[in-house]
Amino acid sequence: MVRGKRRASPPSGAGPSKRPHGRKLLAGPPESSLFSPVPGIPLERSSSPPAPIPLITEVFLRKQVEALTTSLAVREGELRWAREDRDAAWTDKEAMERERNTLVRVATERALEVRGLRERLAQMEGQPAGEAEGR
């Protein structure tokens, strides 16, 4: 030890006479003195139980859970929109298929009608004028 300078803390084996005077240390977790506004003097205890000091990993994991929860909510919203879009596309597809089927049916009926008229015309052209009118 250099003369004229004092140590910041008493040596580890210091007896009661070399310990700092002032407030008496309260029994409690060693980390309680870490957050004291005055070094070496712990905060005074209140009647309510002390709030637990979160560990860095716990804080980190809580932030991760918050971020994942937010991300999940966003993804759920996107999934809901995608399902709505899919359902709307499915409804449009079904409507277009019904319309196509109707158009195909109408076109088929008209084609059959035209075929029948051509066959009738061909028969009428092959018959004498008087017989065709009698039908």
Side-chain angles (χ1 to χ4, degrees):
M1 180 176 195
V2 178
R3 292 203 180 263
K5 293 189 178 185
R6 298 183 72 188
R7 290 180 67 131
S9 61
S12 59
S17 63
K18 293 186 181 177
R19 288 198 183 124
H21 296 287
R23 294 186 195 175
K24 186 177 180 182
L25 292 176
L26 298 174
E31 64 268 9
S32 66
S33 63
L34 294 176
F35 297 102
S36 171
V38 179
I41 300 174
L43 294 173
E44 297 204 12
R45 296 192 178 230
S46 67
S47 60
S48 62
I53 300 170
L55 301 173
I56 293 173
T57 53
E58 185 179 347
V59 171
F60 172 76
L61 291 175
R62 281 187 184 149
K63 293 291 182 182
Q64 288 294 99
V65 167
E66 288 174 15
L68 290 171
T69 302
T70 301
S71 179
L72 178 61
V74 168
R75 297 292 183 257
E76 285 175 341
E78 290 172 351
L79 182 59
R80 186 172 40 255
W81 294 333
R83 285 181 177 152
E84 290 171 0
D85 289 348
R86 180 203 60 199
D87 293 345
W90 186 262
T91 301
D92 291 346
K93 178 186 171 221
E94 288 178 336
M96 289 176 11
E97 285 177 350
R98 281 192 303 272
E99 184 178 353
R100 184 199 66 204
N101 291 342
T102 300
L103 292 172
V104 167
R105 186 176 63 248
V106 169
T108 302
E109 289 171 359
R110 287 185 181 165
L112 290 173
E113 191 177 321
V114 168
R115 181 191 287 170
L117 290 173
R118 284 187 180 157
E119 288 175 359
R120 205 163 138 204
L121 181 61
Q123 286 176 356
M124 287 172 52
E125 288 175 348
Q127 294 179 357
E131 287 183 28
E133 290 177 13
R135 279 190 158 193

